[in-house]
């Protein structure tokens, strides 16, 4: 599944979690740079079995990426739970989208990857897959 998603995940109790930073974006909030370690990241946590798994997570995106990410998630039968911002006075404005889905593990992980593929377009290209 790591090859599919393009990132290495970690076991976190009963879940397998991917955390993906936004190296293509420098976001400043109240004079402080936001980093992946303090919340400027997208993540997915998967639990269950290969044939019947759950996924929940968060996508960190720029405002112009919101609609393409929503379309990618919906195209893979993942539900959008919320869209909002986490920070105040951030530049550029970062939006966060929470999502949930259930189905075969590979199918729902493909939906997460499809959402990541929408990030960075129009500026620096899609986020590269890391192996």
């Amino acid at each position: 599944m790591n090859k599919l998603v393009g990132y290495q995940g970690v076991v976190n109790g009963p879940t397998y979690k991917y955390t993906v930073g936004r190296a293509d974006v420098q976001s400043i909030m109240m004079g402080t740079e936001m980093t992946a370690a303090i919340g400027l990241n997208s993540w997915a946590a998967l639990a269950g079995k290969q044939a019947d798994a759950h996924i929940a997570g968060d996508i960190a995106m720029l405002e112009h990426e919101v609609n393409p990410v929503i379309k990618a998630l919906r195209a893979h039968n993942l539900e959008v739970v919320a869209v909002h911002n986490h920070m105040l006075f951030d530049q550029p404005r970062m939006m966060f989208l929470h999502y949930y889905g259930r189905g075969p593990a590979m199918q729902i992980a493909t939906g997460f990857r499809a959402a990541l593929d929408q990030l960075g377009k129009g500026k620096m290209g899609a986020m590269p897959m890391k192996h």
Side-chain angles (χ1 to χ4, degrees):
M1 191 162 344
N2 288 338
K3 277 192 169 191
L4 170 69
V5 173
Y7 295 90
Q8 182 70 38
V10 296
V11 174
N12 186 6
T15 67
Y16 192 78
K17 185 175 182 183
Y18 294 97
T19 303
V20 181
R22 286 295 305 254
D24 64 320
V25 174
Q26 181 183 25
S27 182
I28 306 295
M29 181 185 85
M30 298 177 68
T32 303
E33 183 177 359
M34 298 290 94
T35 65
I38 57 175
L40 186 59
N41 62 57
S42 298
W43 61 271
L46 291 103
K49 299 179 178 169
Q50 286 291 328
D52 184 22
H54 298 265
I55 189 170
D58 204 351
I59 304 290
M61 61 203 151
L62 296 165
E63 290 178 311
H64 73 273
E65 297 167 332
V66 172
N67 286 332
V69 166
I70 288 172
K71 286 179 183 178
L73 291 170
R74 286 183 175 164
H76 290 86
N77 296 318
L78 298 179
E79 297 178 35
V80 175
V81 176
V83 178
H84 55 246
N85 60 315
H86 286 180
M87 303 170 209
L88 297 173
F89 310 108
D90 51 327
Q91 290 295 322
R93 168 67 83 189
M94 297 301 299
M95 300 302 294
F96 292 82
L97 181 149
H98 298 264
Y99 64 92
Y100 172 81
R102 185 171 181 176
M106 294 300 277
Q107 177 183 319
I108 59 179
T110 299
F112 174 59
R113 180 67 231 185
L116 293 179
D117 286 343
Q118 303 309 307
L119 304 179
K121 289 186 173 180
K123 264 183 113 176
M124 300 174 67
M127 294 176 66
M129 288 185 67
K130 297 176 185 174
H131 297 284

